[in-house]
């Protein structure tokens, strides 16, 4: 998927579903192109053996010159918990599987990032707060507006300010740092990982960034 | 009895404020706070004052009247969930927008702090960036935007200056197929107030 980062103008997505007997261990469901656009991917409802979702943030530019981030968006973070909830529903009555061992992986020109659930209750609370339009603070903001405002400022604007005339690679590294710091403050019940390189076998080397 | 309560409240209030680090609002993005430090990003240099008051745009087709208010010492938490910074001053905008004489939006009855347009990222002495939303009956909008206000001082003595209004889209990552909790779709319509305007002081 990463080899497509410069050649496509819409996101791409795949879901990997664990098979009972291998090899292969997983089947791949490719999200059809009509369920993707410049800045979003619509995955279908999770099924009982849904395990890993992967989507691509490409290098394209929209009509107003906007580009996708090389890290997860806030929407991706919320959707990770949504994925967990959907799989829990799909496995209703099977407590051994439940939401289980899901991963949400982002592919961008910088590398790979992954989100996994580390605290179920925190994650579900975070999801409920982010999707409840009636939950408002003293400012009249929903939690989602509150978080999006903070994300825009603490990650996007802050990176622009700090960067000035830095290279694209330096800007991406700084964006990752500010995103990681911001992610930590969310206390969302999710863990963030990054993989910027592979080992001798071509397997990705994953590094834990923060909870 | 009431006087005692007032004195206690005053002392508590003083205690709370005395532990805050006051940082000029223009340093909001560059300031690195210490762990557990309570920061108040305050408009100590009164950079927000020039935007406040009533401003109007009217070309016969589009009519926009905005009321810009400065809010002080707003807590930046969400029921105890804290994201930096902890307190700050900002601007909030309430508005009436008419298209061909027909009112489309009226947010003047919104609570003092529930305006849909608010923010405080100072870009330069006369330019500020705010979060931008227009009213919707849906649970949320698919589209996101920033609003930049630029104050242009008058060249004439006693002139009021003008206010540049520039809306720029942000990548939202939200699919138009996203459902609200009640099962309806999010509002994927475009914003209807013109993106570029120059307003005059009322």
């Amino acid at each position: 998927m990463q080899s497509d980062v410069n050649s496509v103008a819409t996101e791409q997505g795949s879901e990997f579903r664990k098979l009972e007997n291998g090899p292969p261990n997983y089947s791949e469901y490719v999200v059809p192109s009509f369920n993707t656009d410049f800045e979003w991917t619509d995955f279908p409802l999770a099924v009982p053996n849904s395990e890993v979702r992967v989507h691509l943030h490409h290098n394209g530019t929209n009509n107003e010159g906007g580009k996708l981030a090389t890290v997860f968006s806030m929407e991706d973070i919320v959707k990770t918990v949504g994925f967990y909830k959907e799989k829990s529903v799909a496995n209703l009555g099977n407590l051994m599987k439940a939401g289980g061992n899901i991963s949400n992986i982002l592919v961008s020109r910088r590398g790979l990032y992954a989100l996994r659930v580390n605290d179920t209750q925190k994650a579900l609370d975070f999801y409920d707060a982010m999707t409840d339009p009636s939950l408002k603070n003293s400012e009249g903001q929903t939690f989602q507006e509150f978080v999006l405002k903070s994300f825009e400022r603490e990650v996007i604007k802050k990176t622009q300010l700090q960067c000035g005339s830095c290279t694209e690679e330096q800007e991406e590294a700084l964006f990752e740092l500010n995103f990681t710091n911001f992610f930590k403050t969310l206390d969302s019940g999710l863990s963030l990982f990054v993989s910027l390189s592979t080992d001798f076998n071509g397997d990705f080397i994953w590094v834990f960034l923060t909870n | 009895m009431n006087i005692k309560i007032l004195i206690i409240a005053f002392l508590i209030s003083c205690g709370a404020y005395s532990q805050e680090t006051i940082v000029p609002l223009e340093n909001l993005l560059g300031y690195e706070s210490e762990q557990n430090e309570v920061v108040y990003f305050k408009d100590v240099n009164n950079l927000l004052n020039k935007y406040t008051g009533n401003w109007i745009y009217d070309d016969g087709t589009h009519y926009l009247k905005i009321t810009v208010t400065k809010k002080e010492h707003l807590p930046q938490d969400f029921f105890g969930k804290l994201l930096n910074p902890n307190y700050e001053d900002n601007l909030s905008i309430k508005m009436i927008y008419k298209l061909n004489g027909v009112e489309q939006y009226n947010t003047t009855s919104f609570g003092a702090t529930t305006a849909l347009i608010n923010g405080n990222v100072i870009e330069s002495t006369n330019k500020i960036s705010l979060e931008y939303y227009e009213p919707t009956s849906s649970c949320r909008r698919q589209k996101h935007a920033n609003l930049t206000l630029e104050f242009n001082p008058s060249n004439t003595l006693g002139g009021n200056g003008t206010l540049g209004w520039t809306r720029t889209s942000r990548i939202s990552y939200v699919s138009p197929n996203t459902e609200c909790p009640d099962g309806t779709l999010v509002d994927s319509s475009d914003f209807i107030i013109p993106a570029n305007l120059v307003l005059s002081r009322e």
Side-chain angles (χ1 to χ4, degrees), chain A residues 39-40 42 64 67 69 73 75 131 136 138-141 143-144 148 150 152-154 157-158 185-186, chain B residues 29 78-79 81 83-85 88 113-114 120 123 129 140 146 169-173 175-177 181:
Chain A
E39 62 198 81
W40 49 262
D42 274 342
E64 293 173 309
K67 293 187 78 170
S73 66
E75 205 64 23
T131 55
K136 295 184 177 182
S138 58
E139 296 306 296
Q141 288 177 315
F143 186 59
Q144 176 206 101
L148 283 173
S150 302
E152 174 75 11
R153 204 164 71 183
E154 299 297 319
K157 295 263 184 196
K158 196 169 193 173
T185 67
L186 288 177
Chain B
L29 293 179
F78 204 98
F79 301 123
K81 198 169 181 71
L83 295 169
N84 289 328
E88 59 191 39
T113 58
T114 56
N120 56 7
E123 306 270 354
S129 174
R140 68 183 291 195
N146 285 340
S169 297
R170 271 164 41 189
I171 291 173
S172 74
Y173 300 94
S175 159
N177 305 315

Side-chain angles (χ1 to χ4, degrees), chain B residues 5 8 29 51 61 67 83 105 109 127 130 156 162 170 176 179 188 192:
Chain B
I5 291 171
I8 291 168
L29 293 179
Y51 304 102
T61 303
T67 301
L83 295 169
Y105 298 138
S109 62
K127 195 188 277 191
L130 300 95
T156 58
T162 58
R170 271 164 41 189
E179 288 186 357
S188 57
I192 60 172

Side-chain angles (χ1 to χ4, degrees), chain A residues 142-199:
Chain A
T142 63
F143 186 59
Q144 176 206 101
E145 288 167 353
F146 172 73
V147 170
L148 283 173
K149 177 183 172 184
S150 302
F151 180 85
E152 174 75 11
R153 204 164 71 183
E154 299 297 319
V155 183
I156 298 174
K157 295 263 184 196
K158 196 169 193 173
T159 304
Q160 288 170 354
L161 178 87
Q162 291 169 332
C163 238
S165 59
C166 60
T167 65
E168 193 171 61
E169 288 76 15
Q170 289 168 331
E171 184 172 5
E172 288 165 5
L174 205 48
F175 202 96
E176 179 189 296
L177 177 68
N178 288 332
F179 175 75
T180 303
N181 290 336
F182 174 78
F183 185 89
K184 191 175 181 180
T185 67
L186 288 177
D187 196 22
S188 62
L190 300 175
S191 298
L192 176 65
F193 302 84
V194 64
S195 173
L196 302 180
S197 58
T198 55
D199 64 15

Side-chain angles (χ1 to χ4, degrees), chain A:
Chain A
M1 196 178 270
Q2 196 172 24
S3 59
D4 294 331
V5 73
N6 288 315
S7 60
V8 296
T10 63
E11 290 196 2
Q12 293 182 325
S14 280
E15 180 175 293
F16 294 88
R17 297 167 177 169
K18 192 162 190 178
L19 300 173
E20 291 295 333
N21 302 306
N25 295 319
Y26 292 90
S27 67
E28 180 181 5
Y29 170 85
V30 178
V31 177
S33 58
F34 57 81
N35 278 335
T36 65
D37 205 336
F38 177 84
E39 62 198 81
W40 49 262
T41 302
D42 274 342
F43 283 92
L45 277 177
V47 294
N49 60 337
S50 296
E51 202 84 6
V52 180
R53 284 180 178 173
V54 186
H55 77 287
L56 173 74
H57 280 185
H58 57 83
N59 271 356
T61 305
N62 68 12
N63 294 338
E64 293 173 309
K67 293 187 78 170
L68 302 186
T70 50
V71 298
F72 284 109
S73 66
M74 272 311 305
E75 205 64 23
D76 293 331
I77 295 170
V78 176
K79 281 181 175 175
T80 303
V81 190
F83 180 24
Y84 178 87
K85 283 188 74 164
E86 287 171 16
K87 193 178 170 189
S88 301
V89 171
N91 281 314
L92 211 59
N94 186 344
L95 291 175
M96 292 298 287
K97 286 189 174 176
N101 198 24
I102 60 136
S103 299
N104 188 6
I105 295 175
L106 169 72
V107 180
S108 73
R109 63 181 177 275
R110 178 164 168 79
L112 276 64
Y113 294 88
L115 289 171
R116 289 171 60 80
V117 178
N118 71 59
D119 186 320
T120 307
Q121 194 54 54
K122 270 188 185 176
L124 293 175
D125 289 347
F126 176 75
Y127 180 89
D128 288 344
M130 282 292 285
T131 55
D132 183 354
S134 64
L135 180 65
K136 295 184 177 182
N137 66 4
S138 58
E139 296 306 296
Q141 288 177 315
T142 63
F143 186 59
Q144 176 206 101
E145 288 167 353
F146 172 73
V147 170
L148 283 173
K149 177 183 172 184
S150 302
F151 180 85
E152 174 75 11
R153 204 164 71 183
E154 299 297 319
V155 183
I156 298 174
K157 295 263 184 196
K158 196 169 193 173
T159 304
Q160 288 170 354
L161 178 87
Q162 291 169 332
C163 238
S165 59
C166 60
T167 65
E168 193 171 61
E169 288 76 15
Q170 289 168 331
E171 184 172 5
E172 288 165 5
L174 205 48
F175 202 96
E176 179 189 296
L177 177 68
N178 288 332
F179 175 75
T180 303
N181 290 336
F182 174 78
F183 185 89
K184 191 175 181 180
T185 67
L186 288 177
D187 196 22
S188 62
L190 300 175
S191 298
L192 176 65
F193 302 84
V194 64
S195 173
L196 302 180
S197 58
T198 55
D199 64 15
F200 293 122
N201 298 318
D203 294 329
F204 294 105
I205 302 169
W206 287 101
V207 177
F208 169 77
L209 286 176
T210 190
N211 283 332

Side-chain angles (χ1 to χ4, degrees), chain B residues 141-187:
Chain B
R141 280 189 174 271
Q142 180 211 2
K143 295 180 171 59
H144 297 168
N146 285 340
L147 179 70
T148 303
L149 294 180
E150 184 165 20
F151 177 72
N152 303 297
S154 172
N155 291 325
T156 58
L157 191 65
N160 287 320
T162 58
L163 192 65
W165 161 291
T166 306
R167 189 185 70 234
T168 50
S169 297
R170 271 164 41 189
I171 291 173
S172 74
Y173 300 94
V174 180
S175 159
N177 305 315
T178 304
E179 288 186 357
C180 293
D182 64 3
T184 59
L185 295 179
V186 295
D187 182 351

